[in-house]
Amino acid sequence: MRKLLLATAALAALGAGSAMADQIVVKDSGPMAGPVVAVVPAPDSVRSYVVANPRPAVRLEGEIVQGYVVPGDVELVPVPDNPDYVYFYAGDNRPVIVRAEDRSVVYVDADTVVDDGIPDELIGYVRDNPVDPLVLEGDIAVGYEVPVDARLQPVDGYKGYSYFYHNGQPYVVDQTSRRVVYYPR
């Protein structure tokens, strides 16, 4: 019975689209009774807006995961076309989408790379100084080796780092190895 309820909840979540609430709670009975919660992620339009509009990072205690309740002293930025959601960028420059109603996290970008000590000022410089995009092949992530013939832009004031843009996103590169060391998603 529990499997049937879970399958039904999952199908309902897929079919409901963005009009659906963020969670579906299915009650079950029996020895293992209790609520089963399926989290429905923020709509694609909200995620796209948040990624396209980064904010200065906010450092918080503990691990930020779905369901985490954001403290009241953290400034949350509204999503203009969807007042149900607000957001902030975590200390490691990951976008975090929050349900406005109760300040609970509904989406944390798990693919964003932690900055591993790259100064916030360097990241800010790269975001504030876009350059003509490079056309590159393959998936670009941390560790990606930028081809020798690709032109990289030096980061003023940060010897050893350069950067480029690809598909509207900035990528920071270690100049010695020509490998990507940071990118916000």
Side-chain angles (χ1 to χ4, degrees), residues 93 115 117-130 153-165 170-175 181-184:
N93 288 304
D115 66 19
I118 295 175
D120 290 340
E121 295 82 12
L122 183 149
I123 295 165
Y125 177 89
V126 168
R127 284 184 175 154
D128 293 344
N129 294 283
Q153 182 69 35
V155 180
D156 287 344
Y158 293 93
K159 190 174 183 177
Y161 291 105
S162 56
Y163 71 103
F164 67 93
Y165 270 66
Y171 293 83
V172 178
V173 176
D174 175 271
Q175 287 180 333
V181 293
Y182 172 82
Y183 69 102

Side-chain angles (χ1 to χ4, degrees), residues 1 23 27-28 32 44 51 56 68 85 87 116-117 121-122 146 156 160 168-169 175 177 182 184:
M1 178 68 174
Q23 295 183 349
K27 297 278 185 183
D28 192 7
M32 301 297 285
D44 287 339
V51 168
Y68 176 94
Y85 298 98
Y87 73 100
D116 291 330
E121 295 82 12
L122 183 149
V146 181
D156 287 344
Q169 294 294 320
Q175 287 180 333
S177 67
Y182 172 82

Side-chain angles (χ1 to χ4, degrees), residues 75-89:
E75 180 185 355
L76 300 175
V77 181
V79 176
D81 291 338
N82 199 326
D84 293 336
Y85 298 98
V86 290
Y87 73 100
F88 72 99
Y89 270 63

Side-chain angles (χ1 to χ4, degrees), residues 18 22 39-54 66 79-82 85-89 94-98 106-112 169 184-185:
S18 62
D22 293 313
V39 177
V40 178
D44 287 339
S45 62
V46 171
R47 286 195 300 270
S48 296
Y49 177 84
V50 169
V51 168
N53 293 279
Q66 283 186 339
V79 176
D81 291 338
N82 199 326
Y85 298 98
V86 290
Y87 73 100
F88 72 99
Y89 270 63
R94 289 182 302 151
V96 179
I97 300 174
V98 177
V106 296
Y107 175 81
V108 180
D109 189 344
D111 293 331
T112 299
Q169 294 294 320
R185 293 220 4 165

Side-chain angles (χ1 to χ4, degrees), residues 47-72:
R47 286 195 300 270
S48 296
Y49 177 84
V50 169
V51 168
N53 293 279
R55 307 291 300 174
V58 176
R59 297 210 185 272
L60 298 175
E61 295 291 323
E63 184 179 2
I64 300 172
V65 296
Q66 283 186 339
Y68 176 94
V69 177
V70 179

